[in-house]
Amino acid sequence: EDQVTQSPEALRLQEGESSSLNCSYTVSGLRGLFWYRQDPGKGPEFLFTLYSAGEEKEKERLKATLTKKESFLHITAPKPEDSATYLCAAGGATSGTYKYIFGTGTRLKVLA
Amino acid sequence: KAGVTQTPRYLIKTRGQQVTLSCSPISGHRSVSWYQQTPGQGLQFLFEYFSETQRNKGNFPGRFSGRQFSNSRSEMNVSTLELGDSALYLCASSLYGTDSSGNTIYFGEGSWLTVV
């Protein structure tokens, strides 16, 4: 069964305390692994798409990596403004059917 | 540039009614996709349109339908509303579609639907 699982569900960090968020996926015919940031009451903000194992992308304090089974979002020296829910999604296609499945997210709180 | 615009932002409907939500994508974007977000199920993909054709479809009942116009604006319709349809409905646009490489996906602020 196609599935995307994120861990931990919630994470509290002190400002400057680096950590990683995990996204495990079992999606056939992976077309892309997507990371989003969502603030309360707003639509998700696109961060990255990763397409193949070994790929890495960076944006400011965020770095996303991808293996054949999971993706990590590394947050280096986070600041309070990084507090948000981080969502990952996997898009895949088999036999002409496309699936786009989201994880339930990691709620990140960065304390000053 | 203007972002993805969704209307209405908030609405309340009665069980059994139908509702139509509208989405105006970023200028030049030909792909519009729709999502349902609830506390219990999280974000779920409804369907995607590209150049007026439905390109991909999630696992939702036929009560959920959509269409895209020649100017790329899209509408989503839910018929025979149920209490469980209460959710935030999000629309996103992109140049090439969610399954295309090198593509940035932009979400709107969403339409909050409450079914009573």
Side-chain angles (χ1 to χ4, degrees), chain A residues 7-46:
Chain A
S7 63
E9 285 188 20
L11 181 63
R12 291 167 69 95
L13 298 173
Q14 289 294 133
E15 185 173 2
E17 180 186 1
S18 301
S19 187
S20 295
L21 313 182
N22 177 265
C23 172
S24 298
Y25 65 93
T26 51
V27 172
S28 305
L30 185 74
R31 292 272 188 90
L33 190 293
F34 305 78
W35 282 98
Y36 298 90
R37 168 195 169 126
Q38 187 172 25
D39 293 298
K42 299 205 166 186
E45 174 190 346
F46 174 82

Side-chain angles (χ1 to χ4, degrees), chain A residues 97-109:
Chain A
T97 301
Y98 181 72
K99 294 183 179 182
Y100 192 55
I101 301 171
F102 282 83
T104 52
T106 294
R107 293 188 312 279
L108 173 66
K109 178 74 173 176

Side-chain angles (χ1 to χ4, degrees), chain A residues 31 34 36 38 41-46 49 51 87 96-104, chain B residues 9 35 37 43 45 48 56-57 88 90 98-105 107-109 112:
Chain A
R31 292 272 188 90
F34 305 78
Y36 298 90
Q38 187 172 25
K42 299 205 166 186
E45 174 190 346
F46 174 82
T49 308
Y51 296 99
L87 297 162
T97 301
Y98 181 72
K99 294 183 179 182
Y100 192 55
I101 301 171
F102 282 83
T104 52
Chain B
R9 290 277 286 127
Y35 306 82
Q37 188 170 33
L43 248 177
F45 172 70
E48 179 178 15
N56 295 306
K57 189 176 186 304
L88 175 64
L90 291 158
T98 58
D99 56 354
S100 300
S101 301
N103 201 32
T104 300
I105 301 164
F107 277 82
E109 300 275 277
W112 290 92

